[in-house]
Amino acid sequence: MAGPLRRLRSLSPPARDDAAGPRSPGRWSPLSEGSVARQVFVLQVAVILLLVLAAVGALVLQARTHGTVAARERSLAVAEGFADSPGIVSALRSSDPTALLQPRAEAARKGSGVDFVVVTDTDGIRFTHPIRNRIGKKFVGDIGPSLRGKVHSETVEGTIGRIVQVVVPVTDADGSVVGLVSAGIKVEKVSGIVDRQLPLVLGVAAAALLLATGGTALVSRRLRRQTHGLGPLEMTRMYEHHDAVLHAVHEGVVIIDGDGRLLLANDEAVRLLGLPPGAQGRPVGELGLEPRTSELLASGRMATDEVLPAGDRLLSVNSRPTDRGGGPPGWVATFRDSTELRLLSRRVDMVRKRLRLLYEASGGIGTTLDVVRTAEEVAQVAVPGFADYVTVDLDELVLRGDEPHSRGGEGEAGSSGMRMRRTAFGGIRTDPPLFPVDSVITFVPTSPQARSFGSGRAVLEPRLADSPGWQAVAPARAAQVVDYGIHSLIAAPLSARGVLLGVVTFWRSEKPEPFDEDDRSLAAELAARAAVSIDNARRYTREHGMAVALQRSLLPRALPEQTAVEVASRYLPAQAGVGGDWFDVIPLPGARVALVMGDVVGHGLHAAATMGRLRTAVHNFSALDLPPEELLVHLDELVVRIDQDSVTAGDDQTVTGATCLYVIYDPVSRNCVLGSAGHPPPALVRPDGTVEFPDVPPGLPLGIGGRPYESTELRLPEGSRLVLFTDGLVERRGQDIDTGLRQLGDALAQARESAEETCDAVLGALRPERQSDDIALLVARTRVLEPGRVAEWDVPSDPAAVAGVRGQVTAQLAEWGLDDVAFVTELILSELITNAIRYATGPIRVRLLRDRSLICEVSDTSSTSPHLRYAATTDEGGRGLFLVAQFAERWGTRYTRDGKVIWSEQALPPEE
């Protein structure tokens, strides 16, 4: 033991005695280094000192507590005795209580040893006091409890020190308080326990300290002899070194003494050398070792990484003597199994590759919510690290986003087999004779794919040439696959959330070794992770398809026929989720047209349903023929009510944040009125090709409320193009919207004049590769109603003028070749003009428009709207609007800045 200890001490910092000089500054402390004896001494002295301090503290605390209690008891006894003394009540009620009570109080004070006896009235005015000049002054203390008949004690810091005083009430025969008696004494008069016991305590502590010092000296000598002068740090290092060598390393360790006997062998050495029980202490030659190993251990020669046989193992041996540093004779040898090291290294490398493959699969599979793309990622991630070829076959219902067949249904491998569509392929080459992508494959029940799908577990076929079940799927193709060199496969089911989606097959050809059981476990893990991603994509495909179908059903199927503009539209749903973008073209009376573009914040079914509600509301409001700013106000109020209803019902999905752009174009006057509720302004392409974005007052999004909306009016040349769009066209993550608007302007400047070609040019230039938001686009190329199709007359406010207007209208209809509708038109205009003359004021104007229908308009300056009613048989009037409603297809009233317009529409006879 002396040799190893000396070598260990030579590796650690030397322990310095007190005589060797001071230790390095900043590092020494009584418990950090040094011998165990020194530490024991320091600890015992510290314990004795703590005990002495605790005893003194307890004594002081006891003395203070005892003194306070004794002072209170003495003060209470004196005060109560004086308060109960005879004549005290009569003295208090006398004309001069001080003369009667002061001598008695002083006598009581001197006789009892208290510092004062004070008598006061119920107001606290002193009748007695040891210092006469304080008589008649206010008592210092709390007399409230005593006035209520209670005894009250308190400790105060007075001019003579710390005093305990007691206040006792003086009562008469009926129990009422007539005065107070207070007695007090300094605490230090009654506390002398510390002075009497402190020398005894200090003496006992000194004796204990002397005894501890002597005992420590004896313990120090014994510990120093047993530990050879080692300090705690050195002993800890020695233990850690010993434990690391014998137990923490995966090496065999043996120690041989100078006589060739085995002193020590750890568990690993026993396993590697096959040592018998009780081997320690026996000569090396009697342990039954291999001759070369026995010769090396018995000879004691040095060896470095010498390879020796040990049964079916090859051991790498290192041997060194133990007496080179003055230690005892002998040697130590270490053994390492090089065979296990190679196998372990190979296995670790394999595990590392598989972990890397699973890591890559976690990040490389499921990057999109597309079923086909996810299947392709599965095929790509396993090649070439795990398999040479990978194929993914899915149920066709999965590709459509539907729920796949359950076990026992049509999709299970029954008597006719299991039908799957090959969705993805990946491999080191592109020409293997496997079924190509998009092929429909029927896996017979005996095939590995069908068996894996039916059992829900991965199936291993190590030798395809000997697998008749696999060859039965397509015998001719199976022979080509084997001839090609593919020799092994694993079929793993794609199962997620209890649903079987398909099967993934791993094929091996270039690697000569077939798949094994570990490979099957890895394939099952890969398939399980891939199945979750595929099922997520399937569910998304289903929901996305439902949302798209709902949204497309809510969008206009076909744009209505009208003359005002040539229109073309595009709607592109987002790849990551359907939004609430929408557009509309609404014919208005007077050959006008309304162009609408809106956007609902959010994605999914809620956004699509909200879009449908808003589109319906815009249709209803437009039937009232409101200007854009008024229509947006009504739409905003509707959204506010919808949000309030949602909050009341506990639904956290609201509409707030929707935007809308509403445009009215009149082909007769070429006026265009625009109003916006937080929507981007349209682009205007003039006939000369210049592009501008009109300054439309933006307004707040729908549902916020609080501010009125404004509109702006433009006069457009014929052939101008209005381009309405949603923000998905011009906004990109990390890109300013001004950049998108500039790109839109460049694309419009180069686009051709037709609306369809303009749509194609815009989407070709601005459609992103990865579309994260819906895109709605509406292009309207303006037209002008020819002057020859418009006729206008001013009508005086005179009933006699009606006949003249009828004649002019008849002549105009004859010029247009509309004699067939002349009678009805005269009747309608007569009623409308007569109604305006009778009830309206100001100038009256009549206008005929020959569009897809014959439009008759009568305008006046009155804001009063006529109402249709049924006239009784005895009424002389009230049938005018009734007749108009009977003969016209439609009729109505719209308000203008100057008044109103009553209009009607009649169908034109078919052209021959």
Short mmCIF file of all heavy atoms in Angstrom, two decimals, residues 23 91 93 141 189 286 418 534 556 567 584 637 675 703 743 797 855:
data_model
loop_
_atom_site.label_atom_id
_atom_site.label_comp_id
_atom_site.label_asym_id
_atom_site.label_seq_id
_atom_site.Cartn_x
_atom_site.Cartn_y
_atom_site.Cartn_z
N ARG A 23 1.11 28.75 3.96
CA ARG A 23 0.57 28.33 2.68
C ARG A 23 0.38 29.52 1.78
O ARG A 23 0.41 30.67 2.21
CB ARG A 23 -0.77 27.61 2.88
CG ARG A 23 -0.64 26.34 3.71
CD ARG A 23 -1.98 25.66 3.89
NE ARG A 23 -1.84 24.48 4.73
CZ ARG A 23 -1.62 23.28 4.25
NH1 ARG A 23 -1.51 23.09 2.95
NH2 ARG A 23 -1.51 22.24 5.07
N ALA A 91 -59.90 59.04 50.94
CA ALA A 91 -58.83 60.02 50.68
C ALA A 91 -58.94 60.59 49.27
O ALA A 91 -58.68 61.78 49.05
CB ALA A 91 -57.47 59.36 50.89
N ARG A 93 -61.62 61.07 47.61
CA ARG A 93 -62.78 61.95 47.53
C ARG A 93 -62.65 63.18 48.45
O ARG A 93 -63.54 64.01 48.51
CB ARG A 93 -64.03 61.17 47.88
CG ARG A 93 -64.39 60.14 46.81
CD ARG A 93 -65.59 59.35 47.22
NE ARG A 93 -66.01 58.46 46.14
CZ ARG A 93 -66.99 57.55 46.23
NH1 ARG A 93 -67.64 57.40 47.41
NH2 ARG A 93 -67.30 56.80 45.20
N GLY A 141 -48.29 56.85 30.82
CA GLY A 141 -48.63 55.44 30.67
C GLY A 141 -50.03 55.27 30.17
O GLY A 141 -50.79 56.26 30.01
N LYS A 189 -32.99 45.79 39.18
CA LYS A 189 -32.98 45.56 40.62
C LYS A 189 -33.26 44.11 40.98
O LYS A 189 -32.85 43.64 42.04
CB LYS A 189 -34.02 46.45 41.31
CG LYS A 189 -33.59 47.90 41.46
CD LYS A 189 -34.59 48.66 42.31
CE LYS A 189 -34.12 50.10 42.58
NZ LYS A 189 -35.07 50.82 43.46
N GLU A 286 -1.62 -21.42 -11.73
CA GLU A 286 -2.69 -22.33 -11.34
C GLU A 286 -4.08 -21.81 -11.73
O GLU A 286 -5.09 -22.38 -11.32
CB GLU A 286 -2.65 -22.55 -9.83
CG GLU A 286 -1.36 -23.16 -9.33
CD GLU A 286 -1.35 -23.31 -7.82
OE1 GLU A 286 -2.40 -22.98 -7.21
OE2 GLU A 286 -0.34 -23.76 -7.27
N MET A 418 -55.84 -6.64 -52.65
CA MET A 418 -55.91 -5.28 -52.15
C MET A 418 -55.42 -4.33 -53.25
O MET A 418 -54.31 -4.48 -53.75
CB MET A 418 -55.03 -5.16 -50.90
CG MET A 418 -54.98 -3.80 -50.27
SD MET A 418 -53.81 -3.78 -48.89
CE MET A 418 -52.28 -4.04 -49.78
N ILE A 534 -48.71 11.72 -43.62
CA ILE A 534 -49.63 11.47 -44.73
C ILE A 534 -51.08 11.65 -44.27
O ILE A 534 -51.92 12.22 -45.00
CB ILE A 534 -49.40 10.06 -45.30
CG1 ILE A 534 -48.04 10.00 -46.01
CG2 ILE A 534 -50.50 9.68 -46.28
CD1 ILE A 534 -47.67 8.63 -46.52
N PRO A 556 -69.61 33.85 -57.67
CA PRO A 556 -70.44 33.81 -58.88
C PRO A 556 -69.99 32.71 -59.84
O PRO A 556 -68.80 32.59 -60.15
CB PRO A 556 -70.25 35.20 -59.49
CG PRO A 556 -69.08 35.80 -58.81
CD PRO A 556 -68.94 35.14 -57.50
N VAL A 567 -65.89 42.17 -68.74
CA VAL A 567 -65.27 41.72 -67.50
C VAL A 567 -64.61 40.37 -67.69
O VAL A 567 -65.01 39.56 -68.53
CB VAL A 567 -66.31 41.64 -66.36
CG1 VAL A 567 -66.79 43.01 -65.96
CG2 VAL A 567 -67.48 40.75 -66.74
N ASP A 584 -67.68 40.31 -57.27
CA ASP A 584 -69.02 40.23 -57.84
C ASP A 584 -69.19 41.32 -58.89
O ASP A 584 -68.52 42.36 -58.84
CB ASP A 584 -70.09 40.38 -56.76
CG ASP A 584 -71.27 39.46 -57.00
OD1 ASP A 584 -71.52 39.12 -58.18
OD2 ASP A 584 -71.94 39.07 -56.03
N GLU A 637 -72.66 48.03 -40.44
CA GLU A 637 -73.62 47.77 -39.36
C GLU A 637 -74.00 46.30 -39.31
O GLU A 637 -74.18 45.73 -38.23
CB GLU A 637 -74.85 48.65 -39.55
CG GLU A 637 -74.57 50.14 -39.38
CD GLU A 637 -75.79 50.99 -39.70
OE1 GLU A 637 -76.79 50.41 -40.20
OE2 GLU A 637 -75.76 52.21 -39.44
N GLY A 675 -65.93 53.51 -53.50
CA GLY A 675 -65.91 53.58 -52.04
C GLY A 675 -65.19 52.37 -51.48
O GLY A 675 -65.32 51.25 -52.01
N GLY A 703 -66.95 46.24 -39.60
CA GLY A 703 -67.12 45.72 -38.25
C GLY A 703 -66.48 46.57 -37.18
O GLY A 703 -66.68 46.31 -36.00
N GLN A 743 -44.99 46.29 -59.16
CA GLN A 743 -44.94 45.15 -60.07
C GLN A 743 -46.27 44.98 -60.80
O GLN A 743 -46.30 44.65 -62.00
CB GLN A 743 -44.60 43.88 -59.30
CG GLN A 743 -43.19 43.89 -58.72
CD GLN A 743 -42.95 42.68 -57.82
OE1 GLN A 743 -43.87 41.94 -57.49
NE2 GLN A 743 -41.70 42.48 -57.43
N SER A 797 -93.60 71.59 -65.77
CA SER A 797 -94.52 71.13 -64.71
C SER A 797 -95.95 71.52 -65.07
O SER A 797 -96.61 72.30 -64.37
CB SER A 797 -94.10 71.74 -63.37
OG SER A 797 -92.85 71.28 -62.99
N ILE A 855 -85.33 51.11 -71.09
CA ILE A 855 -85.34 51.71 -69.77
C ILE A 855 -85.96 53.09 -69.89
O ILE A 855 -85.54 53.93 -70.70
CB ILE A 855 -83.91 51.82 -69.21
CG1 ILE A 855 -83.25 50.44 -69.17
CG2 ILE A 855 -83.93 52.46 -67.82
CD1 ILE A 855 -81.79 50.48 -68.83
#
